Amino acid sequence: MTLKWVAVVVAAVSMTLWATGNAVTLAVNGGQLPLFVNLLALVSAGTAVVLAVLAELHERLNDRLNALTDFLVARLAEIEARSGDRNTGFVEGYLLNHGQEAAVVPIGRRGRGAAER
């Protein structure tokens, strides 16, 4: 069972126990449960409701992120299929037209380090 449903069950059980306890105490003694018991039941139910709402929001956000990821992967695959290796052919053709092999030159450090050399 997910966290959301556990929190819903806890809230329902807590409110049921609160209502039943107060009804039985009212019928037997003509009073109500002690304040601490009532507050404990209400706080646990409120906390469970907040937790259930947060769990639902988290689940929705996770679903949206998964959908966005799937969309981006599909879109990037489509762009890759459409463009292919066109730039590779352009660079090779350019180098062949100039009649020489391109020398590999290491890229130096940028900034202050390049000026000091």
Side-chain angles (χ1 to χ4, degrees):
M1 201 182 317
T2 63
L3 178 65
K4 174 178 67 172
W5 293 111
V6 170
V8 168
V9 168
V10 166
V13 168
S14 177
M15 290 306 297
T16 302
L17 289 176
W18 172 77
T20 304
N22 280 325
V24 168
T25 307
L26 180 66
V28 172
N29 294 338
Q32 64 180 3
L33 289 174
L35 180 64
F36 175 74
V37 176
N38 282 332
L39 286 178
L40 182 67
L42 293 176
V43 166
S44 65
T47 304
V49 167
V50 169
L51 187 61
V53 169
L54 288 176
E56 174 66 19
L57 291 176
H58 181 268
E59 186 177 325
R60 287 184 181 189
L61 178 65
N62 194 24
D63 290 342
R64 284 188 178 205
L65 285 176
N66 286 339
L68 178 64
T69 302
D70 292 342
F71 172 75
L72 287 176
V73 166
R75 183 70 178 139
L76 289 174
E78 178 186 336
I79 291 171
E80 170 69 22
R82 193 179 312 153
S83 66
D85 283 342
R86 293 181 186 163
N87 289 337
T88 303
F90 172 76
V91 171
E92 289 173 356
Y94 176 80
L95 291 175
L96 288 174
N97 283 338
H98 282 76
Q100 63 182 5
E101 294 283 329
V104 177
V105 179
I107 297 175
R109 293 183 0 180
R110 293 184 178 177
R112 295 180 186 154
E116 294 174 0
R117 288 188 203 182

